Short mmCIF file of all heavy atoms in Angstrom, two decimals:
data_model
loop_
_atom_site.label_atom_id
_atom_site.label_comp_id
_atom_site.label_asym_id
_atom_site.label_seq_id
_atom_site.Cartn_x
_atom_site.Cartn_y
_atom_site.Cartn_z
N LYS A 38 20.60 -8.92 -3.35
CA LYS A 38 19.15 -8.78 -3.36
C LYS A 38 18.49 -10.06 -3.85
O LYS A 38 17.44 -10.46 -3.36
CB LYS A 38 18.72 -7.61 -4.26
CG LYS A 38 17.25 -7.24 -4.13
CD LYS A 38 16.96 -5.93 -4.83
CE LYS A 38 15.47 -5.58 -4.71
NZ LYS A 38 15.05 -5.40 -3.32
N THR A 49 25.45 -18.17 2.41
CA THR A 49 25.46 -17.19 3.50
C THR A 49 24.91 -15.87 3.01
O THR A 49 25.34 -15.32 1.99
CB THR A 49 26.89 -16.99 4.03
OG1 THR A 49 27.35 -18.24 4.59
CG2 THR A 49 26.92 -15.94 5.13
N ASN A 57 24.59 1.42 15.02
CA ASN A 57 25.10 1.20 16.37
C ASN A 57 24.07 0.48 17.25
O ASN A 57 24.02 0.70 18.48
CB ASN A 57 25.53 2.51 17.04
CG ASN A 57 26.47 2.27 18.22
OD1 ASN A 57 27.27 1.34 18.21
ND2 ASN A 57 26.36 3.11 19.24
N HIS A 58 23.26 -0.37 16.63
CA HIS A 58 22.25 -1.12 17.37
C HIS A 58 22.85 -2.38 17.98
O HIS A 58 23.68 -3.05 17.36
CB HIS A 58 21.10 -1.51 16.44
CG HIS A 58 20.20 -0.37 16.10
ND1 HIS A 58 19.22 -0.48 15.13
CD2 HIS A 58 20.10 0.88 16.62
CE1 HIS A 58 18.56 0.68 15.08
NE2 HIS A 58 19.09 1.51 15.96
N PHE A 84 23.68 -15.25 20.68
CA PHE A 84 22.48 -15.28 19.84
C PHE A 84 21.57 -16.40 20.32
O PHE A 84 22.02 -17.34 20.98
CB PHE A 84 22.83 -15.45 18.35
CG PHE A 84 23.81 -16.55 18.06
CD1 PHE A 84 23.40 -17.87 17.95
CD2 PHE A 84 25.16 -16.25 17.88
CE1 PHE A 84 24.32 -18.87 17.66
CE2 PHE A 84 26.08 -17.25 17.59
CZ PHE A 84 25.66 -18.57 17.49
N GLU A 98 30.05 -11.88 15.46
CA GLU A 98 31.42 -11.56 15.89
C GLU A 98 31.64 -10.06 16.00
O GLU A 98 32.54 -9.61 16.72
CB GLU A 98 32.42 -12.19 14.92
CG GLU A 98 32.35 -13.71 14.90
CD GLU A 98 33.28 -14.32 13.86
OE1 GLU A 98 33.99 -13.55 13.18
OE2 GLU A 98 33.29 -15.56 13.73
N LYS A 100 29.50 -6.12 16.15
CA LYS A 100 28.22 -5.47 16.42
C LYS A 100 27.50 -5.14 15.12
O LYS A 100 26.28 -5.21 15.05
CB LYS A 100 28.46 -4.19 17.22
CG LYS A 100 27.21 -3.50 17.73
CD LYS A 100 27.59 -2.32 18.60
CE LYS A 100 26.35 -1.70 19.23
NZ LYS A 100 26.72 -0.58 20.15
N SER A 109 22.36 -26.95 3.95
CA SER A 109 21.69 -27.96 3.13
C SER A 109 20.65 -28.74 3.93
O SER A 109 19.81 -29.43 3.36
CB SER A 109 22.72 -28.92 2.53
OG SER A 109 23.48 -29.52 3.56
N PRO A 114 14.38 -23.98 1.59
CA PRO A 114 15.09 -22.72 1.79
C PRO A 114 14.62 -21.56 0.92
O PRO A 114 14.93 -20.41 1.22
CB PRO A 114 16.54 -23.08 1.46
CG PRO A 114 16.41 -24.21 0.50
CD PRO A 114 15.20 -24.99 0.92
N THR A 115 13.91 -21.84 -0.14
CA THR A 115 13.46 -20.76 -1.04
C THR A 115 12.49 -19.86 -0.29
O THR A 115 11.43 -20.31 0.15
CB THR A 115 12.79 -21.34 -2.29
OG1 THR A 115 13.77 -22.05 -3.05
CG2 THR A 115 12.19 -20.23 -3.14
N ALA A 126 15.74 -0.90 24.09
CA ALA A 126 14.66 -1.86 24.31
C ALA A 126 13.31 -1.19 24.11
O ALA A 126 13.09 -0.07 24.59
CB ALA A 126 14.75 -2.43 25.72
N GLY A 127 12.44 -1.85 23.37
CA GLY A 127 11.11 -1.31 23.13
C GLY A 127 11.02 -0.39 21.95
O GLY A 127 9.93 0.03 21.56
N SER A 128 12.14 -0.06 21.36
CA SER A 128 12.11 0.86 20.22
C SER A 128 11.82 0.10 18.93
O SER A 128 11.81 -1.12 18.90
CB SER A 128 13.44 1.59 20.11
OG SER A 128 14.50 0.69 19.89
N THR A 136 16.72 -10.25 1.08
CA THR A 136 17.37 -11.08 0.07
C THR A 136 16.38 -12.17 -0.33
O THR A 136 15.87 -12.88 0.53
CB THR A 136 18.66 -11.74 0.60
OG1 THR A 136 19.64 -10.74 0.83
CG2 THR A 136 19.19 -12.76 -0.39
N LEU A 138 16.02 -15.60 -1.84
CA LEU A 138 16.81 -16.79 -2.11
C LEU A 138 15.97 -17.82 -2.86
O LEU A 138 14.85 -18.13 -2.43
CB LEU A 138 17.33 -17.40 -0.81
CG LEU A 138 18.04 -18.75 -0.91
CD1 LEU A 138 19.33 -18.62 -1.72
CD2 LEU A 138 18.32 -19.32 0.47
#
Side-chain angles (χ1 to χ4, degrees):
Chain A
K38 191 169 179 62
T49 297
N57 199 34
H58 285 171
F84 47 83
E98 297 176 1
K100 188 175 185 177
S109 56
T115 294
S128 62
T136 292
L138 173 64

